[in-house]
Amino acid sequence: MQKLTRLVPLAIALTLVAAPAAIAPAFAQGTAKMQQEHAMRGTTSTGYMLNHAYQEAIHAHEAAALGMNDMATNHLENVRLTVAMIDPQQSGMNAGLQQQLAAIRESVSNVDLPDDRARATQNTQQVVSQFVAFYGRMPQGIGGGGGAAQAEVLMPTVFDLTTMATSEAAQVQTSVVSRDWAETQIHAKDVVSHLDKAIKAAESGTRRLDAAIVNELKSVRKDANNLMTQTRNKNQQASQTAGKLVGRLGTLTPKIARSIETTQGGGAGQQMPRR
């Protein structure tokens, strides 16, 4: 029998602050973890964290179905770490959704991955099913008079949108390799869409970022537009253009994260307006 807590987890995809060295005192590790959680809560939205946790649960189920319990364990640990950083009340979840989220946390902490592949797959499927039920109830379970503040907690941040654009650019490369041009065009359009939303979010509201970052986003957006043209023309060069986008966004997203962290205030997913 393999319990989730028996393996050291892989770093979660959303981690923004490096973990302390293994030789650091325990109290230093605890402090760093608190700082990391605070930064993450401001840099990424509750909606994005929920989506990430849901996807990780699906990946855990897929890994278990392949008999890869170690990988499944790491994906489940990512689910556990991510949902632990979500503040249900700040997000405006009603009592029912809060209970469902608590049940997911408990299931993920206690899930068993036996050597029996069928049972391990069934156990991870139960976690996925909890997310399915959670999202089925979510449209009616969030709001409750929270107004714009709660809506903002759920809206993707600039960081969220640029990381989504990066993922879509990577999907362009894989689709070009498989010569699936219809799929390639869809991913290229999504890159442009995410970047357009990121620029809009970076230029307005309480999430306004430095002009230099906005200008970099707009420059990347031009490359994304070129990518969309190449995919429409079934140009093999699209793979190189998409790879360039992945690299540029990989350099830009840490800057966005740091900018949000220095301007945030007042709780999860909210930042103080610039003066």
Side-chain angles (χ1 to χ4, degrees):
M1 296 285 192
Q2 179 180 339
K3 287 286 186 181
L4 173 61
T5 54
R6 290 184 184 176
L7 290 184
V8 177
L10 292 174
I12 61 172
L14 295 175
T15 297
L16 305 176
V17 181
I23 59 174
F27 74 88
Q29 293 185 17
T31 300
K33 182 180 179 182
M34 290 176 62
Q35 292 174 343
Q36 174 181 327
E37 290 181 3
H38 177 70
M40 181 176 176
R41 284 177 175 173
T43 305
T44 190
S45 66
T46 296
Y48 187 76
M49 285 191 282
L50 285 168
N51 293 346
H52 178 71
Y54 191 0
Q55 291 298 320
E56 287 291 321
I58 292 172
H59 292 324
H61 174 61
E62 293 167 346
L66 292 170
M68 302 172 71
N69 277 4
D70 285 357
M71 184 177 291
T73 298
N74 284 318
H75 285 303
L76 288 169
E77 181 65 6
N78 290 345
V79 177
R80 187 189 68 79
L81 290 171
T82 304
V83 297
M85 296 180 186
I86 295 171
D87 185 337
Q89 293 183 337
Q90 183 73 27
S91 304
M93 295 182 191
N94 63 18
L97 276 185
Q98 291 186 40
Q99 290 175 357
Q100 284 184 280
L101 188 61
I104 291 173
R105 286 172 173 159
E106 182 177 0
S107 294
V108 172
S109 295
N110 298 321
V111 67
D112 189 23
L113 295 175
D115 292 334
D116 183 331
R117 185 187 297 191
R119 287 179 56 200
T121 304
Q122 182 179 14
N123 291 349
T124 53
Q125 177 61 43
Q126 290 175 353
V127 178
V128 173
S129 296
Q130 286 180 297
F131 273 102
V132 171
F134 180 86
Y135 270 88
R137 188 172 184 173
M138 198 169 170
Q140 296 79 34
I142 288 189
Q150 287 178 351
E152 185 167 311
V153 171
L154 290 173
M155 288 174 58
T157 66
V158 179
F159 178 84
D160 298 342
L161 291 163
T162 51
T163 55
M164 286 189 279
T166 306
S167 179
E168 292 296 333
Q171 290 289 340
V172 169
Q173 281 197 296
T174 60
S175 296
V176 170
V177 170
S178 61
R179 299 183 184 278
D180 188 342
W181 290 105
E183 192 72 16
T184 302
Q185 290 179 49
I186 292 172
H187 290 304
K189 288 178 182 178
D190 285 341
V191 173
V192 172
S193 176
H194 291 319
L195 288 175
D196 282 343
K197 292 175 183 176
I199 292 168
K200 183 178 179 180
E203 289 182 320
S204 61
T206 59
R207 295 179 176 182
R208 187 177 303 127
L209 299 184
D210 292 334
I213 290 178
V214 175
N215 288 336
E216 282 193 67
L217 278 170
K218 289 180 177 179
S219 176
V220 173
R221 169 64 175 79
K222 291 179 181 179
D223 284 349
N225 193 59
N226 184 36
L227 175 66
M228 195 160 57
T229 300
Q230 289 175 339
T231 59
R232 190 183 305 119
N233 295 334
K234 300 181 180 181
N235 186 338
Q236 290 286 337
Q237 188 66 28
S239 179
Q240 284 70 36
T241 303
K244 179 182 176 182
L245 278 170
V246 171
R248 292 193 68 185
L249 287 167
T251 301
L252 183 55
T253 47
K255 296 179 184 179
I256 292 171
R258 286 192 294 269
S259 179
I260 294 175
E261 288 163 24
T262 57
T263 57
Q264 70 177 350
Q270 298 180 31
Q271 297 117 38
M272 295 295 289
R274 290 185 177 277
R275 301 184 181 216

